[in-house]
Amino acid sequence: MEKNQVKLKIAYMINPDKVYYGTMDDEIIQYLEKCNSEVTKVYISDLSFRLENNIRFQNKGEDLEIDAFISYGYMSEFHLNAYEYIVFTLNQMGVVTLHEYLAEKMMNDKFLQMAAYMKNKVPIPNTDLAFNLEAYKSIVKKSYNSNCVIKKMFEYGSDGVDIFKNPHNSLNKIAKSIWKGELSLLQEFIPDSIGTSIRVLIIGGKAVACVRFVDKTGNIKSNQSYGEENFALENMMKSDKLNEYFDIAERAAKSLSNELTVGGIDILDSKKYGLVVLETNSFPDLYDTRESSGLDVFQLFTESFCNKVRTKLNKL
């Protein structure tokens, strides 16, 4: 830390839905404080905005003057919707957030990510989206007679991912989703990457670590089993293909933001199709990457975020 460095004022919103990251809030806050930051813990139930001549961000009815706002971890759709309102409005005030609003929206929508990757020529599995059942019937008949991957637009932990070998089952799943008012993303199945995937951790737009998820149970999904007997996390930092993994991950991150604060890029390494990007996770598990790679990714992440805030302040 440089001498005479101005102390940052950061509001940290405690995750309202602690599903996976029960202790991560406290650890991130500790690291932020090491970066010469004054961190105020806030809770979503206490936050509000007042639009009167200007925008006022309030905590328990009192104005909150901050340089940056951050929250970490996946949330329910209701809380995520509220969080996106917070991010957008704070960005209008000039407050730095973990991700800019557009990047946040894309990382919480599977299809928007795919479209952004295509613009930047990042390879992905063939992907389809339609808006009514008849259109989906035509797509399934043409391209998905077997092994159709169906994804919810918003999900985490692969809970919203299904794979069907029978087109009738695929259409049944799609019809049920439409009945509930949900869109479905269809993707080509990559058969030679069953139960494995590459995860590259991006910090400040740069790849810093690489691990491989390996399912030991026969599950097609690489990250849905738990326990050492069912799941392995392999350090890929000495892989001969590390530069290739890093390159495609940085291109994917660049598709979403000029300098993505943090992201977990999931990649399939297929002999038939080459490297294809599945998605970018907006709140990657830092514990797994730290344990596997030995890198202090919490320090790298918080220092990068604080540098981002200071760069913004220096331009004012």
Side-chain angles (χ1 to χ4, degrees), residues 16-150:
D17 302 295
K18 290 189 176 181
V19 179
Y20 292 121
Y21 303 154
T23 62
M24 192 173 290
D25 286 336
D26 289 335
E27 188 146 9
I28 292 175
I29 288 171
Q30 291 173 11
Y31 274 88
L32 287 171
E33 290 174 338
K34 292 177 183 178
C35 295
N36 196 27
S37 300
E38 177 185 327
V39 181
T40 301
K41 289 184 182 181
V42 297
Y43 297 85
I44 198 167
S45 57
D46 296 326
L47 300 178
S48 61
F49 288 98
R50 174 76 177 179
L51 308 184
E52 184 182 5
N53 298 322
N54 57 12
I55 304 174
R56 294 160 60 189
F57 183 44
Q58 298 186 322
N59 181 43
K60 297 182 179 179
E62 299 293 330
D63 289 353
L64 194 58
E65 301 292 335
I66 55 174
D67 303 311
F69 174 89
I70 185 172
S71 188
Y72 203 95
Y74 295 101
M75 308 173 198
S76 67
E77 290 191 55
F78 176 80
H79 285 140
L80 180 64
N81 187 43
Y83 173 68
E84 289 179 346
Y85 273 104
I86 293 170
V87 169
F88 177 84
T89 310
L90 289 176
N91 287 168
Q92 306 314 300
M93 297 171 64
V95 175
V96 177
T97 52
L98 179 65
H99 304 297
E100 298 85 1
Y101 175 74
L102 182 56
E104 195 73 64
K105 287 292 291 185
M106 288 191 288
M107 284 191 286
N108 290 312
D109 187 296
K110 304 295 184 187
F111 186 78
L112 294 183
Q113 284 190 38
M114 297 299 114
Y117 298 150
M118 290 296 290
K119 181 180 179 181
N120 212 26
K121 301 189 184 304
V122 175
I124 62 171
N126 291 332
T127 300
D128 290 277
L129 173 68
F131 305 101
N132 63 65
L133 187 57
E134 291 305 313
Y136 275 117
K137 286 181 178 178
S138 176
I139 292 169
V140 169
K141 182 178 180 180
K142 180 179 180 181
S143 303
Y144 298 99
N145 284 319
S146 63
N147 292 328
C148 178
V149 179
I150 302 179

Side-chain angles (χ1 to χ4, degrees), residues 228-285:
E228 293 182 0
E229 70 279 10
N230 300 317
F231 172 77
L233 191 67
E234 300 176 353
N235 184 357
M236 299 296 287
M237 294 298 284
K238 294 184 179 180
S239 168
D240 293 339
K241 301 185 73 171
L242 181 65
N243 289 338
E244 294 180 57
Y245 297 147
F246 274 13
D247 177 68
I248 194 173
E250 289 181 357
R251 287 164 54 202
K254 187 76 170 178
S255 303
L256 306 175
S257 173
N258 285 332
E259 190 176 316
L260 193 66
T261 307
V262 64
I265 315 293
D266 287 342
I267 303 165
L268 293 184
D269 189 351
S270 165
K271 291 182 179 179
K272 181 178 179 180
Y273 297 90
L275 301 182
V276 294
V277 172
L278 289 180
E279 65 177 335
T280 299
N281 298 272
S282 55
F283 306 110
D285 190 334

Side-chain angles (χ1 to χ4, degrees), residues 148-160:
C148 178
V149 179
I150 302 179
K151 296 182 178 180
K152 291 180 64 175
M153 295 301 192
F154 167 74
E155 61 85 25
Y156 58 89
S158 297
D159 288 336

Side-chain angles (χ1 to χ4, degrees), residues 191-237:
D192 60 352
S193 296
I194 294 176
T196 65
S197 65
I198 301 295
R199 163 68 61 85
V200 175
L201 180 64
I202 296 287
I203 292 177
K206 300 296 182 183
V208 299
C210 183
V211 299
R212 178 162 58 190
F213 296 155
V214 181
D215 181 89
K216 299 179 181 180
T217 68
N219 194 328
I220 291 175
K221 306 170 191 177
S222 64
N223 64 337
Q224 208 168 40
S225 298
Y226 300 93
E228 293 182 0
E229 70 279 10
N230 300 317
F231 172 77
L233 191 67
E234 300 176 353
N235 184 357
M236 299 296 287
M237 294 298 284

